[in-house]
Amino acid sequence: MILLGFVLAIVIGASLLTLPFAKIGPGGASWIEALFTAVSAVCVTGLVVVDTPAYWTGFGQGVILLLIQIGGFGVMTFASVIGLTVIRRMSLRSRLNAATETKTLGLEDVRALVLGIVRISLVIEGAVAIALTAQFAIGYGYSLGEAAWLGVFHAVSSFNNAGFALFSNSIVPFATDPLICLPLCAATILGGLGFPVIMQLKKHLRRPLKWTMNTRIVLWATVFFLVLGTVYVTALEWNNPDTLGPLDWPGKVLAGFFQSVQTRTSGFNSVDIGALHPATLLGMDVFMFIGGGPAGTAGGIKVTTFAVLFFILVAEIRGEAVVNIFGKRLSRAVHRQAISVVLLATALVMAATVVLMLLTDFELGPVLFETVSAFGTVGLSTGITAQLPVAGQLVLILLMIVGRLGPITFASALALRERTLAYELPKERPIIG
């Protein structure tokens, strides 16, 4: 149901984008342009094959904004919101679908979670929109109407980790402006934490002892990767004349921090991604692959999955029989889930990279960056997406859908049936390592 819901939203969105008045100039958008844009918006990725402000009309941009909001909520969550608004209740099927999509552990709190998602999204998006509108109007001389549209669009795009921008070179013109970059970073970070974490912080911000293992892992991992990414990008690009080199040191730090935040899953860029050093791109591949927090707008394998594998490794090195995290024992079922997600994600990214290299003449670095960006629903690009053949763009479309739904959810949706064995085979151990 979740997979079909996303497909339906994509089809409707693509159909709207093919209308003649959705595109600037005569005629309508081609089917691949409309499909790719709709998938990128619903999957809150941000990869584009056409220049958003120069290609789409106000109507087309409005469709993209709506698709971003639906994709950020989650199609099933959005449908639940409509049901609660229209008929004031949720059916059992709606609660099951919303619970699965939002990774809720029980059905009793689904309604509260759905309403909480709506409130949190609107409050954060509204606050960021006001801050951006003020700076666009006062600092850059846009009319109030233009500034408001720019503020709302980029607030929704950043909180939902979509990365769509209404400037042809993304946020590059504002690379050293903290009043533009920091609100976008704040929205991206909050969206990437995941709704369960935000709601728990709202309720128990001053009582960390009541935080769940999930909240603790997401917060610690988020801080760690933000700091690591900032240091990594800033240090490697400090003297690069095509990226951070021309900026003063506060501008370099701000741009390095901004790119670290956006690499997590949002996809805005304040420097030319194609001009980054190959070592920087490789490090960003890792950050994009890991992604942000679960049950939110972030993509990737999620920081919780990475943390689980890390603590399994630590326990194995220490010779411990169980894995303990923050004073709690980790369920063995989670071990299998984490390993499955990482193996499926790695196989998918590698297969897509090989296919794109066979279809094009691009080198490994840019191709790998593009596939990881699509899978991690990040949207950063070295500039080759629009140059890919239709077959290559279809590969990225598949990656974006799988990345948004998650490898396990997607694989489960394609499975023909569940299989329960009534017996167990005798144990035997192969040699490992």
Side-chain angles (χ1 to χ4, degrees):
M1 288 298 297
I2 294 174
L3 176 60
L4 291 176
F6 269 84
V7 170
L8 180 61
I10 289 167
V11 170
I12 294 174
S15 300
L16 291 174
L17 290 176
T18 56
L19 297 175
F21 47 85
K23 171 183 171 293
I24 296 175
S30 68
W31 69 270
I32 187 62
E33 292 169 341
L35 178 63
F36 194 98
T37 303
V39 171
S40 186
V42 173
C43 296
V44 291
T45 304
L47 284 175
V48 294
V49 291
V50 294
D51 186 355
T52 302
Y55 192 84
W56 302 109
T57 63
F59 173 81
Q61 294 172 13
V63 170
I64 292 172
L65 186 66
L66 178 61
L67 294 177
I68 290 172
Q69 190 70 83
I70 293 173
F73 279 153
V75 175
M76 291 302 167
T77 305
F78 183 78
S80 298
V81 172
I82 299 298
L84 286 172
T85 303
V86 176
I87 61 178
R88 306 291 181 181
R89 67 182 181 86
M90 293 176 66
S91 66
L92 177 59
R93 180 180 292 277
S94 296
R95 283 192 291 160
L96 287 169
N97 289 331
T100 302
E101 188 174 58
T102 57
K103 308 295 189 295
T104 306
L105 298 179
L107 292 180
E108 64 280 355
D109 57 346
V110 172
R111 180 189 174 96
L113 178 61
V114 168
L115 294 176
I117 288 173
V118 175
R119 285 193 292 265
I120 289 170
S121 298
L122 295 181
V123 168
I124 295 175
E125 290 170 357
V128 174
I130 291 172
L132 294 177
T133 298
Q135 181 61 2
F136 281 130
I138 299 172
Y140 295 94
Y142 287 97
S143 68
L144 184 59
E146 292 175 326
W149 174 241
L150 291 172
V152 169
F153 189 96
H154 290 92
V156 173
S157 184
S158 59
F159 177 70
N160 290 288
N161 283 211
F164 277 89
L166 293 183
F167 302 98
S168 298
N169 50 356
S170 193
I171 311 300
V172 173
F174 315 103
T176 57
D177 187 348
L179 297 180
I180 295 293
C181 292
L182 293 183
L184 291 175
C185 286
T188 297
I189 293 171
L190 290 173
L193 290 178
F195 292 111
V197 173
I198 297 176
M199 294 180 72
Q200 186 165 72
L201 290 178
K202 178 184 175 184
K203 188 175 182 180
H204 300 297
L205 179 61
R206 298 180 182 275
R207 292 178 287 181
L209 291 178
K210 291 193 174 185
W211 294 354
T212 63
M213 179 191 294
N214 180 76
T215 297
R216 293 167 186 263
I217 291 176
V218 170
L219 291 178
W220 279 105
T222 297
V223 173
F224 173 77
F225 283 115
L226 285 177
V227 173
L228 178 62
T230 300
V231 173
Y232 186 87
V233 173
T234 306
L236 267 62
E237 297 297 319
W238 189 268
N239 294 316
N240 187 337
D242 297 321
T243 55
L244 302 186
L247 306 179
D248 57 14
W249 74 263
K252 291 179 180 181
V253 174
L254 176 61
F257 172 71
F258 183 86
Q259 217 51 70
S260 172
V261 172
Q262 303 307 317
T263 302
R264 301 300 310 289
T265 66
S266 188
F268 292 114
N269 62 284
S270 61
V271 297
D272 182 2
I273 299 299
L276 294 173
H277 191 280
T280 307
L281 292 177
L282 184 59
M284 291 171 69
D285 286 339
V286 176
F287 296 136
M288 292 191 297
F289 186 77
I290 294 173
T297 59
I301 62 172
K302 307 297 188 296
V303 292
T304 46
T305 305
F306 178 84
V308 165
L309 292 181
F310 173 77
F311 283 109
I312 290 175
L313 175 62
V314 171
E316 189 65 29
I317 291 174
R318 291 177 174 177
E320 298 173 349
V322 297
V323 179
N324 298 315
I325 304 178
F326 298 125
K328 298 290 183 67
R329 180 169 56 86
L330 191 68
S331 168
R332 291 191 180 276
V334 179
H335 300 197
R336 299 193 299 270
Q337 291 172 352
I339 293 170
S340 299
V341 167
V342 172
L343 289 178
L344 284 171
T346 303
L348 201 64
V349 168
M350 295 309 298
T353 302
V354 170
V355 171
L356 289 184
M357 292 190 70
L358 292 174
L359 292 174
T360 67
D361 296 325
F362 295 117
E363 296 181 353
L364 173 61
V367 171
L368 179 62
F369 189 90
E370 222 74 9
T371 55
V372 175
S373 180
F375 170 77
T377 66
V378 179
L380 291 173
S381 174
T382 57
I384 69 171
T385 299
Q387 304 175 47
L388 295 175
V390 172
Q393 293 175 4
L394 291 174
V395 170
L396 294 185
I397 285 174
L398 178 63
L399 278 176
M400 288 189 286
I401 294 174
V402 177
R404 181 64 183 94
L405 297 181
I408 291 295
T409 303
F410 188 80
S412 300
L414 298 181
L416 294 178
R417 61 187 176 90
E418 293 184 358
R419 182 184 179 193
T420 303
L421 293 177
Y423 58 90
E424 290 185 359
L425 298 174
K427 292 182 179 180
E428 187 172 351
R429 291 185 58 181
I431 299 173
I432 301 298

